[in-house]
Amino acid sequence: MLQAAQRSEKKTKGKKTAPHERYLEAYRWMLQTRVFEDKLASLYRGGLITGGVYVGRGQEAISAACGMFLQKGDIFAPLIRDQAGRSAFGEPLIDVARTYLGSRQGPMRGRDGNIHRGKPGQGQLAMISHLGAMISVTVGVLLAKKFKGETGFVGLTTIGEGGMQSGATHEGMNIAAVEQVPLVLVATNNHYAYSTPNDREFACTDLVDRAKGYGFEGYTVDGTDLAACLDVIGGAVKRARAGRPPQLVVASVLRLAGHGEHDDASYITDEIKREPFAQDCLKCAEKVIVDLNLADAETLKKWRDEAAAEVENAVATAQKEAAPEAGEEDWCAISMRHLVDQIP
Amino acid sequence: MSITYLEAIREAQAKLLRDDDRVFIYGQDVGGNFGGAFKATKGLAKEFPGRVLNAPISEDAMVGTAIGAALQGMRPIVEMQFADFSSIALNQILNNAGTHYWRTNIPIPITVRLPSGGTKGSGPFHSQSMESLYAHYPGLVVMTPATVEDAYTMLIEAVAIDDPVVYCEHKYLYYHLKADRLPTEGLPIGKARIAREGRDLTIVTYSAMLHESLTVAEEFANEGLEIEVVDLRTVKPLDTDTVLASVARTGRLLCVGESFPWGGATAEVIARVTAEGFHLLDAAPARINAKDTPIPYHPNLWSAHRPSAKTIAEKARNLLRE
Ligand SMILES: Cc1ncc(C[n+]2csc(CCOP(=O)(O)OP(=O)(O)O)c2C)c(N)n1
């Protein structure tokens, strides 16, 4: 695996990060995400979160790699299992805590919740639920940047194997290739869309084969292997940035949680849990770190403690903040106030 | 010189492209030498290279792309080939563009042009009027210009508005409506227009039905009955004040729209007038819409499906008898 990590360095020279440094940085985003999402899950179980909680357990390696190669001026359109990538891209934990806990100071001000958040002005688009819809929006942002003469930027968006079957995904991928925008689409096959297994989702041999049909370049990656994720996703970002056609990366993992925290996922079979792709990417990364002595036990513990402290801090801050007040809302869905329909 | 409603739409877009480099046009067959299924973008691709772009048959992705471009400060105009196909883009229009400002505080300045309404022989999938459907959802401005002048000035305004605008242009009016010249200024957006003054009955309408209603008003004038005709211009926002003021003068209200009858713009007007101006009414308000079936192909059926001067006149006569 270190070999893969070293390869990844060769292919992404721009950033000048030693392979194990990047690996460790990614690991720390993964770790922070795991600690944070465990906390969110426990708050949910304690009845302290209104609405759903959706975690990326098992997908942190893929997601961290999605965020880590993006720079200022790039676009990230994450979906529901992308906390690690969002954090690596620059989303502060407090934004997440505020959104889940309904603080009026959060980016969504209580108007939208949980994963439906973003700061489009800073390049992180605010997903809508409808799967596949954000692909063409990302294309539009990239197209406009092209119109404006900007260069060297990329956009990365994610999708599950379930969302990949929507018409919007098809239209979005096709239009990305027609417009030749620097898009990376990272599709994670976690083997279930909510409760539906792969054999009721699609009938092709491998989703990556679709790349050719759309005019994308396609790659697969083992989502449990952090070094491979950094290598393949980093490579895709680099190629898109260099003006290659849009890139599709299909990652394989098992979702190691319910669809949301309300879901006990009892439909996930024991058999599939024994598959190699069912390993926990975080544990795999830890094993690499220990086996190759990339960090000592003390450092690992320090990182864990730091992550816990950051999470506690974010949650405690958001919990102290005021909730939105209906009486203080202006209830206007358009920005031009003189055009608001005055409903008697 | 005379200019048609369709030419006004083309001229407005030419002006927008000329005056504002944030504007581009995205739609099926709008580019090249073709200039769109109805020629609303004729010659524009040549005059403005790289800014009038053919899109694949992907209405959802066309609007999604426009939303993304708007986030980058552009002012895209999306041409739907027919309003009917905007059903494929409902998700992006309603759930993405329509919610974005509310959710993130960042408005989405896109204009979606819908060639709307019936013409003979167009059938169920090339004839629809969808303004009521769009008006139902929060976050959108819905324009329904009925005159050459409004077609021109309102499209220019649509692009200037920071929020998403659904601009419903009527296909029947494309060639049938002519004006001597293009205006330099129009009424403010959101303001209805008294298209004809009267004292006996108010007809509230918009888009192509304005002209059917005006025909009826002329006919009644020969009998000494004066119908006031209010052209809403935008169904959202809806200018309730102008409507109420008219009903205060006439005491009678008939609403005419071309979209399907369940709910919609006409029902909304009646609901507002009965709630806010019940005391102004001398008779129960009435409305006419298309029939509650898909839109028929054959002219014999089609002309009976939608409101016409004849059916409007019948309703008006009944209302005046009460
Ligand atoms: C168009 C659409 N239909 C249905 C849903 C409801 N839904 C939310 S997540 C989900 C499963 C998604 O599966 P997948 O895309 O594989 O992603 P995963 O949850 O496994 O990460 C469904 C059905 C939705 N969000 N969008």
Side-chain angles (χ1 to χ4, degrees):
Chain A
M1 284 196 220
L2 186 62
Q3 263 176 359
Q6 275 161 347
R7 261 206 324 279
S8 117
E9 171 53 14
K10 254 187 248 144
K11 286 191 178 169
T12 50
K13 274 211 183 88
K15 270 205 170 173
K16 295 224 169 51
T17 312
H20 65 272
E21 272 178 42
R22 174 168 291 138
Y23 192 93
L24 292 175
E25 186 194 334
Y27 168 77
R28 292 188 69 181
W29 291 125
M30 293 166 62
L31 176 66
Q32 188 197 60
T33 297
R34 183 68 62 91
V35 172
F36 191 28
E37 292 190 334
D38 283 351
K39 176 74 184 179
L40 290 173
S42 93
L43 289 168
Y44 175 83
R45 283 192 298 275
L48 295 170
I49 289 178
T50 308
V53 169
Y54 302 90
V55 302
R57 182 179 270 265
Q59 301 185 199
E60 294 94 337
I62 301 159
S63 184
C66 287
M68 281 184 56
F69 296 92
L70 301 178
Q71 306 163 359
K72 199 166 182 310
D74 288 342
I75 300 299
F76 186 35
L79 285 186
I80 58 179
R81 313 216 185 269
D82 281 320
Q83 187 53 53
R86 290 178 189 250
S87 295
F89 186 66
E91 178 182 59
L93 281 191
I94 187 67
D95 280 10
V96 197
R98 283 172 168 158
T99 307
Y100 267 108
L101 291 162
S103 156
R104 70 208 284 174
Q105 280 163 261
M108 311 312 278
R109 300 160 293 158
R111 292 178 175 190
D112 207 341
N114 51 59
I115 62 235
H116 304 91
R117 61 174 197 275
K119 284 189 174 158
Q122 294 168 24
Q124 189 169 148
L125 305 188
M127 62 172 278
I128 65 166
S129 292
H130 303 66
L131 294 168
M134 298 313 290
I135 300 175
S136 61
V137 176
T138 310
V139 171
V141 177
L142 300 175
L143 185 65
K145 281 175 165 284
K146 238 168 91 168
F147 284 158
K148 293 195 286 185
E150 293 179 30
T151 54
F153 57 87
V154 297
L156 188 149
T157 187
T158 60
I159 194 88
E161 89 289 347
M164 230 184 149
Q165 314 316 322
S166 73
T169 297
H170 165 71
E171 289 194 8
M173 288 183 73
N174 180 64
I175 216 162
V178 167
E179 300 297 356
Q180 281 298 300
V181 289
L183 178 78
V184 180
L185 175 62
V186 177
T188 298
N189 182 359
N190 61 13
H191 291 85
Y192 288 87
Y194 208 151
S195 75
T196 304
N198 276 185
D199 66 342
R200 300 299 303 167
E201 297 189 84
F202 55 88
C204 56
T205 315
D206 193 330
L207 290 171
V208 79
D209 294 338
R210 291 189 187 170
K212 189 163 194 295
Y214 287 114
F216 277 48
E217 293 177 348
Y219 299 84
T220 53
V221 67
D222 171 3
T224 69
D225 179 347
L226 174 58
C229 290
L230 292 169
D231 184 17
V232 173
I233 294 170
V237 169
K238 196 175 174 199
R239 279 187 298 276
R241 209 184 286 289
R244 299 288 310 159
Q247 307 281 311
L248 172 67
V249 175
V250 179
S252 181
V253 284
L254 184 66
R255 200 186 68 213
L256 301 182
H259 169 62
E261 288 309 298
H262 58 277
D263 171 25
D264 69 4
S266 51
Y267 45 80
I268 296 187
T269 63
D270 290 338
E271 194 190 347
I272 209 167
K273 286 180 188 159
R274 288 190 291 270
E275 292 282 350
F277 59 72
Q279 297 176 87
D280 180 347
C281 61
L282 188 69
K283 288 204 182 117
C284 293
E286 255 158 27
K287 186 168 182 322
V288 171
I289 292 169
V290 171
D291 288 354
L292 298 180
N293 203 13
L294 300 180
D296 56 25
E298 204 180 317
T299 310
L300 283 174
K301 178 172 181 316
K302 194 181 107 209
W303 288 348
R304 199 168 272 279
D305 291 346
E306 277 172 18
E310 281 171 49
V311 165
E312 287 306 325
N313 189 25
V315 169
T317 305
Q319 274 177 326
K320 282 199 279 291
E321 290 170 357
E325 297 281 349
E328 284 171 24
E329 280 285 349
D330 64 1
W331 301 106
C332 287
I334 60 174
S335 70
M336 299 187 84
R337 293 299 195 267
H338 68 288
L339 295 180
V340 171
D341 189 28
Q342 301 299 329
I343 314 252
Chain B
M1 180 200 136
S2 94
I3 182 157
T4 65
Y5 181 95
L6 177 65
E7 285 160 351
I9 290 168
R10 186 205 167 275
E11 288 310 313
Q13 293 180 106
K15 179 177 164 53
L16 286 160
L17 286 162
R18 205 160 32 240
D19 294 352
D20 187 346
D21 55 16
R22 301 171 303 170
V23 174
F24 71 100
I25 302 178
Y26 207 47
Q28 289 143 23
D29 306 301
V30 297
N33 290 327
F34 194 68
F38 296 100
K39 305 291 168 230
T41 58
K42 190 165 180 232
L44 296 182
K46 192 155 175 229
E47 196 177 338
F48 304 98
R51 297 173 64 197
V52 184
L53 300 172
N54 279 344
I57 304 172
S58 299
E59 284 76 9
D60 178 280
M62 279 154 53
V63 176
T65 300
I67 291 169
L71 279 173
Q72 277 290 312
M74 305 294 286
R75 296 268 158 163
I77 301 173
V78 176
E79 177 180 298
M80 291 290 160
Q81 198 150 72
F82 287 80
D84 315 49
F85 300 116
S86 74
S87 60
I88 307 295
L90 280 181
N91 188 43
Q92 294 288 4
I93 299 172
L94 308 178
N95 289 316
N96 223 342
T99 66
H100 203 271
Y101 170 71
W102 166 258
R103 296 170 64 234
T104 67
N105 228 17
I106 300 177
I108 302 289
I110 61 171
T111 299
V112 184
R113 285 181 38 232
L114 306 188
S116 304
T119 49
K120 270 182 223 150
S122 297
F125 311 116
H126 294 74
S127 305
Q128 293 170 27
S129 297
M130 298 177 72
E131 65 283 349
S132 292
L133 191 153
Y134 288 107
H136 179 70
Y137 270 78
L140 308 170
V141 171
V142 184
M143 299 184 173
T144 48
T147 66
V148 175
E149 291 81 356
D150 274 352
Y152 182 74
T153 57
M154 287 170 76
L155 184 51
I156 291 168
E157 293 267 10
V159 173
I161 288 174
D162 292 336
D163 298 291
V165 177
V166 176
Y167 175 94
C168 304
E169 52 195 60
H170 202 289
K171 301 197 296 289
Y172 181 80
L173 303 182
Y174 273 169
Y175 319 101
H176 286 84
L177 218 53
K178 291 190 176 71
D180 292 337
R181 68 186 71 80
L182 290 174
T184 46
E185 236 180 301
L187 278 181
I189 298 298
K191 196 95 193 85
R193 180 176 67 99
I194 307 291
R196 185 187 196 285
E197 288 182 9
R199 56 166 192 270
D200 299 315
L201 162 72
T202 296
I203 294 183
V204 174
T205 186
Y206 53 93
S207 192
M209 287 299 139
L210 172 71
H211 305 283
E212 302 287 333
S213 304
L214 287 171
T215 305
V216 173
E218 291 306 318
E219 192 187 307
F220 278 46
N222 295 332
E223 304 167 25
L225 292 165
E226 295 298 337
I227 296 180
E228 180 147 302
V229 181
V230 178
D231 172 9
L232 287 176
R233 302 175 69 247
T234 57
V235 299
K236 194 173 192 178
L238 200 158
D239 183 358
T240 314
D241 289 348
T242 298
V243 172
L244 281 171
S246 176
V247 175
R249 287 188 286 276
T250 65
R252 287 179 158 76
L253 172 65
L254 172 61
C255 297
V256 185
E258 193 178 330
S259 59
F260 298 124
W262 201 98
T266 55
E268 183 66 27
V269 170
I270 289 182
R272 291 186 189 195
V273 169
T274 41
E276 299 292 299
F278 193 63
H279 59 288
L280 305 172
L281 290 163
D282 297 329
R287 66 192 186 113
I288 317 185
N289 288 95
K291 291 189 193 300
D292 189 23
T293 68
I295 300 158
Y297 150 76
H298 196 280
N300 290 351
L301 304 180
W302 173 76
S303 50
H305 181 269
R306 71 205 287 262
S308 62
K310 186 163 161 280
T311 55
I312 297 167
E314 277 164 24
K315 272 269 192 221
R317 218 170 278 288
N318 289 341
L319 202 51
L320 283 164
R321 255 189 233 119
E322 277 184 38

